[in-house]
Amino acid sequence: LSEQKRIMAKVEKLLAKVDASRTRLEKIPILLKRFRQSVLAAACSGRLTADWREKHLDVEPAAELFAKLKVDRQRRYAAECKEADTVGRRQPKNPDTNKRSRNLVNELPDLPETWGYYRLEELCHLITDGTHKTPIYQDKGIPFLSVKNVRPFLIRDADIKFISEQEHKFINTRCNPKRGDILYTKVGATFGYAAINNLDYDFSIFVSLALLKPVVPYFSSKYAELAMNSEIVFQQARERISGIGTPDLHLVEIRDFRAPLPPLPEQAEIVHRVEELFALADRLEARVGKAGGQVDKLTQSILAKAFRGELVPQDPNDEPAEKLLARIRSATGSVASKDGKAPVAAGARRQRRCGKANSTNE
């Protein structure tokens, strides 16, 4: 009996530690999420690479980089117009003539002297969205992605729908995602997520997704993905979202986002540092998941040791279990009932109850 009490005290103490460990582990994913957000905030404000800039004072500033970007953007548009004339196709719309947002730009965080804020539309060849008409779905065909398939830094293509090749060709005359483009969620509760297209096959997208084609290499696709997932851009999305019930970011607002543009070499350094820090967070997350599985097994392990007699030390002064069992038998087997009759065995009582029940049923 004394060992039972020691076992229970030990079990309660250990299970309290198990619960505390589980509680601490459950907090770590939240901390890692905040860590990633802090990394992005530091990356897109210049804080992450402050030491790098001190060693690279002769880099081309963003203003000169943007001037080259504009030339490249105009050159590409002219080439697209010439190609359209050659094949007898309607010329593409000049992005500089797109309607502009009337919303005022709120105060943005300060940037390093060599950086600059620029309208997102000026940093991309094209910003558009998917088809506004729900296509006819089929079991097989061309993949069709919507807002549910995009999360920050990730395109989830495990659960997708399919459309015919004919519909795909029609949709892609206006919106043709290519490798290196950015998909950006613009409708629903999960608006404001960006992921670079690393898929090796053609697909079409729904209106719930925007398509961004950065002017590479001046506005790196990997850096653009970081910037679009950063708090600097997401705050602008929150301020410009509209719609009752279902939030919606209109293209005119997305095109008007102000994106931070660092010098080109610094963009590469930012991507490199963020990838290293995110990889560290991923490793920690994997270890937390493994630890969580081990904690879940601890309770059964503790109970198994308890019932094997291995949880607490033996005390030679304890009353042996045989004597305790004898006392239990004596206490339950020799006590007479209140009316003076000998106690009836449990088996006999069950037989009597069953017999009464059977006679009642008959």
Side-chain angles (χ1 to χ4, degrees):
L1 185 60
S2 59
E3 188 173 358
Q4 290 182 34
K5 294 177 180 178
R6 293 200 304 275
I7 289 172
M8 285 307 303
K10 186 71 171 180
V11 167
E12 289 176 354
K13 182 178 179 180
L14 291 176
L15 292 185
K17 289 185 176 181
V18 170
D19 290 340
S21 297
R22 185 178 289 110
T23 300
R24 288 195 293 269
L25 286 172
E26 289 172 351
K27 293 179 180 178
I28 294 178
I30 300 173
L31 295 176
L32 288 175
K33 181 179 180 180
R34 292 176 184 171
F35 170 74
R36 292 186 178 96
Q37 291 172 342
S38 298
V39 168
L40 285 179
C44 296
S45 64
R47 298 194 308 274
L48 186 64
T49 45
D51 61 325
W52 184 91
R53 285 192 301 278
E54 291 177 358
K55 300 176 183 178
H56 300 79
L57 301 175
D58 57 344
V59 295
E60 179 183 60
E64 295 180 18
L65 177 68
F66 181 67
K68 293 180 179 179
L69 182 151
K70 285 181 66 177
V71 172
D72 185 277
R73 187 166 171 266
Q74 293 168 356
R75 185 186 300 117
R76 174 167 172 168
Y77 175 70
E80 290 176 348
C81 290
K82 184 176 180 180
E83 180 185 0
D85 291 339
T86 302
V87 299
R89 189 175 65 241
R90 187 176 64 181
Q91 287 190 352
K93 185 178 179 181
N94 186 349
D96 292 333
T97 63
N98 281 329
K99 181 182 177 182
R100 296 207 173 194
S101 171
R102 294 183 178 180
N103 286 319
L104 297 176
V105 178
N106 292 331
E107 186 176 351
L108 297 170
D110 293 334
L111 296 176
E113 292 183 1
T114 54
W115 290 38
Y117 281 114
Y118 297 93
R119 289 183 68 250
L120 188 60
E121 186 173 33
E122 297 173 333
L123 300 175
C124 296
H125 291 296
L126 176 69
I127 298 179
T128 187
D129 54 11
T131 177
H132 291 225
K133 179 182 177 182
T134 303
I136 299 174
Y137 300 123
Q138 53 189 43
D139 294 336
K140 295 181 180 180
I142 305 297
F144 185 77
L145 275 59
S146 64
V147 67
K148 69 177 182 178
N149 300 112
V150 176
R151 291 296 178 267
F153 305 99
L154 176 67
I155 296 179
R156 304 190 302 189
D157 62 341
D159 180 23
I160 56 178
K161 296 181 178 180
F162 299 93
I163 61 175
S164 68
E165 186 171 353
Q166 182 179 0
E167 277 199 283
H168 165 70
K169 289 181 177 179
F170 176 77
I171 294 171
N172 276 33
T173 57
R174 171 179 166 274
C175 177
N176 59 330
K178 298 293 183 183
R179 191 176 179 85
D181 293 346
I182 305 293
L183 297 183
Y184 185 72
T185 60
K186 59 185 283 290
V187 174
T190 56
F191 71 90
Y193 295 164
I196 192 170
N197 175 26
N198 288 319
L199 301 180
D200 294 322
Y201 51 79
D202 292 336
F203 61 91
S204 290
I205 63 174
F206 198 37
V207 64
S208 55
L209 291 176
L211 175 68
L212 284 64
K213 291 182 176 291
V215 182
V216 178
Y218 309 101
F219 187 41
S220 159
S221 293
K222 288 188 175 181
Y223 172 75
E225 183 185 37
L226 296 180
M228 294 303 294
N229 281 300
S230 71
E231 181 62 24
I232 290 178
V233 172
F234 188 64
Q235 178 61 35
Q236 297 178 64
R238 277 196 297 260
E239 293 169 353
R240 294 166 180 262
I241 197 77
S242 62
I244 300 175
T246 302
D248 188 7
L249 269 173
H250 299 296
L251 286 178
V252 66
E253 304 298 343
I254 297 174
R255 290 166 177 160
D256 200 51
F257 287 167
R258 265 51 173 185
L261 182 68
L264 192 55
E266 193 167 357
Q267 290 184 39
E269 181 65 19
I270 289 170
V271 170
H272 172 69
R273 294 191 180 192
V274 170
E275 287 179 346
E276 282 191 336
L277 291 170
F278 275 19
L280 171 63
D282 291 342
R283 291 195 297 271
L284 289 173
E285 207 160 40
R287 291 177 62 183
V288 169
K290 185 177 180 181
Q294 292 171 339
V295 167
D296 291 339
K297 296 176 182 177
L298 274 177
T299 299
Q300 290 302 319
S301 177
I302 291 169
L303 293 178
K305 292 193 73 172
F307 288 110
R308 288 199 304 266
E310 301 172 356
L311 191 63
V312 296
Q314 304 292 309
D315 187 345
N317 297 319
D318 284 346
E319 179 188 48
E322 290 81 359
K323 290 186 177 181
L324 174 63
L325 184 59
R327 287 196 297 108
I328 293 173
R329 287 171 176 167
S330 175
T332 58
S334 62
V335 177
S337 62
K338 292 181 179 180
D339 57 2
K341 297 180 181 180
V344 181
R349 287 198 297 269
R350 284 196 297 269
Q351 290 178 359
R352 290 179 182 178
R353 285 197 297 268
C354 291
K356 289 180 180 180
N358 291 335
S359 61
T360 302
N361 292 337
E362 290 173 359

